[in-house]
């Protein structure tokens, strides 16, 4: 990859910038620089060198291993000859990345549908969008090349409806709203995203379903119009309502014993079938750990939500 240093990164150390751009740790970034795999303006640099605006950073990442099929737990919520929709459990990484090769959903998809090898991106065969490791819920999978092209085009055109349930900190004076704010990399923490003017356009719609004033939490239905990395988590944190259990974006466990991960679930998907054009609507039940949180909270002070959904 070759990337130009913008104003948000100018003045930072070379190893920090390489780590951010390549999405690797600082130690891996230093090795890339020291071995010459990462250079600036075509020449070697030292990890501690600070880079100027306009510097061209080139990174030659080592080849990844070949994805192999393996049994990975997930539920299939919809399937036909072209498309599948799966329900990803929390804790499973969607596809291989730096330091993670085995135990991914991608390997499990290849085990279930061997014919998807060669469809889409290498080692991400059939995958057209993703969820964070600790987020559970629905993902579309393309089983044919035609379906992959159709689904990726639909996502790019904002024609796929993706709805989540999120338990967040704080109460809401209004029943809903829209967060329209660009999202980009955090210049100081490479694995984090922030709302920043130089970021990519991002829009999130939310609606309050229930609120527990005594516990200081609210349950939201969240709909994505765009699909930036960590979009829901970043947008809700930016308005002072981070997702419960999210240690990266500022909402650790709020004294609820049932919360052991990010309280975020992709509950429904709606899209036009990429081959037939028929409308496909799929829902995923709330996982037992998230259901336990609602039971622990008890009756809501504002609104309500069916306990067995």
């Amino acid at each position: 990859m070759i990337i130009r240093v913008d104003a948000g990164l100018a003045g930072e150390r070379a190893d920090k910038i390489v780590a951010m751009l390549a999405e690797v740790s600082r130690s891996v970034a230093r090795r890339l620089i020291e071995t010459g795999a990462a250079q600036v303006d075509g020449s070697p640099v030292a990890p501690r060198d600070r880079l100027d605006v306009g510097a061209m950073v080139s990174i030659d990442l080592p080849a990844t291993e070949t994805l192999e099929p393996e049994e990975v737990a997930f539920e299939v919520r919809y399937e036909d000859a072209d498309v599948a929709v799966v329900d990803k459990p929390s804790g499973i990484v969607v596809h291989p990345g730096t330091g993670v090769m085995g135990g991914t959903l991608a390997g499990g998809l290849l085990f279930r549908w061997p014919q998807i090898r060669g469809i889409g991106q290498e080692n991400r065969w059939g995958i057209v969008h993703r969820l964070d490791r600790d987020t559970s819920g629905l993902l579309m999978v393309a089983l044919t090349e035609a379906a992959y092209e159709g689904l990726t085009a639909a996502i790019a055109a904002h024609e796929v409806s993706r709805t989540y349930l999120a338990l967040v900190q704080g109460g809401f004076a209004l029943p809903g709203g829209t967060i329209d704010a660009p999202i980009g990399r955090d210049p100081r923490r490479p694995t984090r995203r922030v709302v920043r003017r130089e970021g990519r356009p991002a829009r999130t719609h939310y609606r309050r379903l229930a609120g527990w004033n005594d516990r200081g939490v609210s349950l939201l239905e969240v709909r994505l119009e765009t699909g930036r990395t960590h979009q829901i988590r970043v947008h809700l944190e930016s308005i002072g309502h981070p997702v419960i259990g999210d240690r990266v974006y500022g909402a650790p466990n709020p004294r609820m014993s049932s919360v052991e991960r990010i309280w975020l679930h992709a509950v429904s998907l709606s899209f036009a079938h990429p081959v037939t054009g028929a409308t496909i609507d799929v829902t995923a039940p709330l996982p037992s750990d998230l259901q336990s949180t609602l039971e622990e909270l008890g009756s809501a002070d504002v609104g309500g939500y069916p306990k067995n959904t």
Side-chain angles (χ1 to χ4, degrees), residues 154-174:
I155 288 177
H158 312 311
E159 295 171 350
V160 177
S161 178
R162 289 172 284 175
T163 304
Y164 295 69
L165 292 177
L167 190 69
V168 303
Q169 283 187 344
F172 290 78
L174 298 176

Side-chain angles (χ1 to χ4, degrees), residues 49-204:
D49 288 349
R50 297 187 181 274
L51 306 188
D52 297 326
V53 171
M56 301 301 295
V57 180
S58 61
I59 307 171
D60 184 11
L61 292 172
T64 59
E65 302 175 50
T66 299
L67 179 70
E68 296 297 335
E70 59 181 318
E71 288 192 81
V72 176
F74 61 85
E75 296 290 334
V76 178
R77 301 296 178 190
Y78 174 85
E79 180 182 1
D80 62 32
D82 300 285
V83 177
V85 178
V86 303
D87 190 347
K88 183 191 83 71
S90 171
I92 293 180
V93 175
V94 171
H95 55 70
T98 304
V100 178
M101 194 66 198
T104 65
L105 180 66
L109 297 178
L110 192 59
F111 183 87
R112 171 92 183 215
W113 296 289
Q115 72 271 23
I116 67 174
R117 186 182 291 277
I119 296 174
Q121 297 182 44
E122 185 175 1
N123 288 347
R124 305 181 184 188
W125 308 127
I127 295 172
V128 296
H129 64 120
R130 62 183 294 277
L131 294 174
D132 296 336
R133 181 188 63 185
D134 291 332
T135 300
S136 55
L138 298 175
L139 277 171
M140 296 182 297
V141 180
L143 303 182
T144 63
E145 191 65 44
Y148 182 84
E149 293 177 0
L151 291 175
T152 52
I155 288 177
H158 312 311
E159 295 171 350
V160 177
S161 178
R162 289 172 284 175
T163 304
Y164 295 69
L165 292 177
L167 190 69
V168 303
Q169 283 187 344
F172 290 78
L174 298 176
T178 296
I179 307 168
D180 191 349
I183 292 176
R185 295 181 185 276
D186 185 338
R188 301 188 179 280
R189 297 175 62 184
T191 59
R192 213 172 175 269
R193 301 300 193 272
V194 292
V195 169
R196 56 183 304 194
R197 185 176 57 187
E198 302 88 349
R200 300 177 67 188
R203 182 174 292 177
T204 303

Side-chain angles (χ1 to χ4, degrees), residues 85 138 140 154 158-163 268-273 278-283:
V85 178
L138 298 175
M140 296 182 297
H158 312 311
E159 295 171 350
V160 177
S161 178
R162 289 172 284 175
T163 304
S268 70
L269 275 173
S270 180
F271 57 96
H273 193 284
T279 299
I280 307 297
D281 294 307
V282 187
T283 59

